[in-house]
Amino acid sequence: MKATYIEYSETNSFSKTLLAYLAHDEALKPFVGHWPTFDGFEKQLHKKGILATAAFLWNA
């Protein structure tokens, strides 16, 4: 099956703010703790203590 991919901005379904966030727009930097990357998600999970809790539960 052939898939077609289009940019989020081409769908006209998302706000300019969300598109700027996904593009790591520097104008949003004062409002963003971590960018939406795997590294950013990991940092946020550590900050919230979620990974430590999950590891504790898995090892219990």
Side-chain angles (χ1 to χ4, degrees):
M1 175 184 281
K2 186 176 180 179
T4 302
Y5 298 93
I6 61 173
E7 295 293 326
Y8 289 123
S9 59
E10 294 176 16
T11 67
N12 295 319
S13 297
F14 302 99
S15 69
K16 291 178 183 178
T17 304
L18 177 64
L19 296 174
Y21 174 69
L22 294 174
H24 302 193
D25 188 329
E26 289 297 314
L28 296 178
K29 195 167 187 170
F31 309 103
V32 175
H34 301 289
W35 294 110
T37 62
F38 285 113
D39 185 52
F41 290 130
E42 182 178 17
K43 287 178 182 178
Q44 188 66 26
L45 291 172
H46 278 291
K47 182 178 178 181
K48 298 281 185 179
I50 293 172
L51 287 182
T53 302
F56 172 77
L57 293 174
W58 286 324
N59 293 323

